[in-house]
Amino acid sequence: MTRSITGPTDHVVVVGAGLAGLSATLHLLGAGRRVTVVERDPRPGGRAGRRALGGYLIDTGPTVLTMPDIADEAFAAVGTSLRDRVDLIPLHPAYRARFADGSTLDVHTDADAMEAEIERFAGPADAAGYRRLRRWLRQLYRAQRGRFLDADFDSPLQLLTPDLVRLAALGGFGRWQARIARHLRDERLRRVFSFQALYAGVPPERALAAYAVIAYMDTVAGVYFPRGGMHALPRAMADAAAGAGARFHYGQRVTRLERTGERVTAVVTDDQRIACDAVVLTPDLPIAYRLLGRTPRRPARLRHAPSAVVLHAGCDRTWPELAHHTLSFGHAWKRTFHELTRTGELMSDPSLLITRPTATDPALAPPGRHLHYVLAPCPNTAIGPGATDWTGLAPRYRDSLLRELDRRGLTGIASSIEQECLVTPADWTGQGHAAGTPFSAAHTFAQTGPFRPRNLVRGTANAVLAGCGTTPGVGVPPVLLSGKLAAARVTGARAAAGRRTTEARP
């Protein structure tokens, strides 16, 4: 039995209107709580924000939406649904992978289409291996969904369930890369099913095979895009919450929390004091701990995931070889992870994610124009260049990225750019993200499940944390679950929907 906060919980203040805060708000409203949301920005979204630039509508955060059923649970809490409020477009292919040897692979979430594509790309042996790998990924997800992904932890002893035995039997405590290699011979294919380790902040040869559940979300469950951009999701969540009675205060920064003993009694902003019975805090961990006046002790310092440089480019042309999402792999692979997580160097042979949202929704750009987001993983500021170093480094790195893209076939990209915005670890630092990374604490074994920073903080009786720094972790589906879990801590509810094995539905 997991702990819930004690005492009155009639009025809850949620700090932050990002995906975690909005998920918590909807679940709290569904449980009959009165909710006030305080957000420092002028609109909802948090990391999943929106920027208008010369007629281009730019998503400033995540570009990949998987597991929409998890978002749907939040809407269902207030009697509506995701698909009533957001036009979800399934992406076919989910990704296009382009390799340094010139070969190309379309990544389909439909089993038959993907098997045929792999047979064309690598032959019948790997096509058969893909079928086995797909079954294993599905079993891995089912073993983790209820007891590991959608679960609060108060003690490592809560891991001792039949699901742990099933996970061990599936090889979940082996290594991700080795497990993929059991099914696929082609090294290029192995990258397609292990690049997601970057989300976890751990090289695939060191990451636990259990984390391959992220590859399930990307390559089996389906990848979607909301019409209007990813920001359409938090906007719809905020609208649903407001319609169900939540009060939103935008453009207000929380400066402190008032306490009486171990209880938070009010949230104080630049402009007002809001009395509360409980509080859900979704800022990055250092900010949340500062507000609480308490930083939990850990045996070792938190290790953070790599960061990223993102170039948002509005262009007067595009390149037909680009899908909605294109993975552009360099020759190097192991060295890339070594640079990102060990030596703190910029990638010498970069692997990049190029997103072209106007391939699916042309309305995000002026007529005849195209949006491209180029995401280049880079070391976080704890092991790589510091935030101040990026002042001089940013323009040089931007130019080197464009030269590399031109060399990889995006001929003339530099001269095609009409509007642009470059985001670096200095910007992430300015937004309050520890170690200059939006991906928070890495998913090492010592920072996962019951070993990840807990969403209850000792010494505070009525505050709960949510977001990618706490349980269950990084990514849109886990962040939405973190809000649901925070709400359950407040209400004492054991969310039955999370105990079922659910999968994305078309």
Side-chain angles (χ1 to χ4, degrees), residues 232-392:
L233 175 59
R235 191 169 62 243
M237 295 176 75
D239 289 345
R247 295 188 62 189
F248 284 84
H249 298 279
Y250 293 113
Q252 297 205 25
R253 184 176 63 91
V254 174
T255 57
R256 62 188 177 90
L257 304 177
E258 286 186 6
R259 302 170 65 103
T260 299
E262 292 192 343
R263 296 192 70 84
V264 176
T265 55
V267 173
V268 181
T269 75
D270 291 319
D271 299 324
Q272 62 180 318
R273 174 187 180 275
I274 306 171
C276 63
D277 297 313
V279 62
V280 174
L281 297 171
T282 69
D284 215 22
L285 290 178
I287 297 174
Y289 292 153
R290 177 177 56 78
L291 288 171
L292 289 172
R294 285 158 172 75
T295 300
R297 293 183 179 180
R298 292 183 60 85
R301 179 184 244 175
L302 275 178
R303 286 179 51 194
H304 288 84
S307 186
V309 173
V310 185
L311 174 63
H312 302 281
C315 301
D316 62 11
R317 60 165 296 192
T318 191
W319 294 262
E321 58 266 36
L322 294 177
H324 187 112
H325 295 297
T326 300
L327 297 162
S328 178
F329 290 106
H331 285 282
W333 187 238
K334 286 187 178 180
R335 187 172 81 235
T336 293
F337 281 96
H338 189 71
E339 290 165 342
L340 292 173
T341 64
R342 293 294 191 181
T343 64
E345 302 168 87
L346 298 177
M347 292 183 292
S348 54
D349 183 15
S351 289
L352 308 169
L353 172 62
I354 305 165
T355 299
R356 182 166 67 107
T358 43
T360 303
D361 188 355
L364 295 171
R369 298 299 190 262
H370 307 270
L371 260 178
H372 303 91
Y373 308 150
V374 182
L375 185 150
C378 70
N380 64 50
T381 58
I383 66 168
T388 55
D389 298 327
W390 277 100
T391 302

Side-chain angles (χ1 to χ4, degrees), residues 68-294:
D69 59 300
I70 295 175
D72 195 45
E73 288 181 10
F75 285 99
V78 294
T80 184
S81 74
L82 171 64
R83 286 169 179 79
D84 284 344
R85 293 177 173 271
V86 179
D87 181 9
L88 278 189
I89 305 168
L91 298 184
H92 304 296
Y95 296 94
R96 177 166 294 153
R98 296 173 57 84
F99 299 94
D101 64 2
S103 59
T104 301
L105 173 79
D106 280 353
V107 180
H108 300 281
T109 52
D110 176 78
D112 293 335
M114 190 59 185
E115 184 176 7
E117 177 71 353
I118 289 178
E119 183 164 356
R120 175 198 67 78
F121 182 81
D126 272 332
Y130 161 72
R131 281 286 188 179
R132 295 192 301 271
L133 173 60
R134 186 182 177 94
R135 285 195 297 271
W136 177 72
L137 288 172
R138 192 181 295 277
Q139 291 168 338
L140 193 69
Y141 173 74
R142 286 173 173 164
Q144 293 188 65
R145 173 64 162 101
R147 292 292 181 182
F148 300 100
L149 291 173
D150 195 1
D152 277 318
F153 290 99
D154 296 317
S155 165
L157 295 177
Q158 290 174 259
L159 288 173
L160 302 179
T161 69
D163 286 321
L164 184 69
V165 177
R166 281 191 283 273
L167 185 58
L170 288 167
F173 298 105
R175 297 299 171 190
W176 185 338
Q177 184 168 279
R179 192 73 196 193
I180 299 298
R182 292 179 59 174
H183 300 284
L184 301 173
R185 300 175 184 178
D186 192 294
E187 191 271 341
R188 297 167 300 173
L189 285 177
R190 294 175 186 177
R191 293 189 188 189
V192 169
F193 291 93
S194 63
F195 81 90
Q196 299 88 351
L198 272 174
Y199 303 155
V202 184
E205 72 268 16
R206 295 207 313 268
L208 290 180
Y211 303 147
V213 71
I214 311 171
Y216 166 85
M217 296 177 184
D218 271 4
T219 66
V220 177
V223 176
Y224 299 82
F225 186 70
R227 192 176 301 279
M230 286 290 289
H231 182 66
L233 175 59
R235 191 169 62 243
M237 295 176 75
D239 289 345
R247 295 188 62 189
F248 284 84
H249 298 279
Y250 293 113
Q252 297 205 25
R253 184 176 63 91
V254 174
T255 57
R256 62 188 177 90
L257 304 177
E258 286 186 6
R259 302 170 65 103
T260 299
E262 292 192 343
R263 296 192 70 84
V264 176
T265 55
V267 173
V268 181
T269 75
D270 291 319
D271 299 324
Q272 62 180 318
R273 174 187 180 275
I274 306 171
C276 63
D277 297 313
V279 62
V280 174
L281 297 171
T282 69
D284 215 22
L285 290 178
I287 297 174
Y289 292 153
R290 177 177 56 78
L291 288 171
L292 289 172
R294 285 158 172 75

Side-chain angles (χ1 to χ4, degrees), residues 4-15 28 33-38 257-258 262-267 274-281 292 456 460-465 486-487 489-491:
S4 57
I5 67 175
T6 57
T9 60
D10 296 332
H11 179 213
V12 184
V13 173
V14 175
V15 178
L28 286 165
R33 293 333 188 253
R34 183 163 58 93
V35 183
T36 301
V37 183
V38 181
L257 304 177
E258 286 186 6
E262 292 192 343
R263 296 192 70 84
V264 176
T265 55
V267 173
I274 306 171
C276 63
D277 297 313
V279 62
V280 174
L281 297 171
L292 289 172
L456 293 181
T460 303
N462 63 335
V464 191
L465 307 183
R489 290 285 201 186
V490 173
T491 64

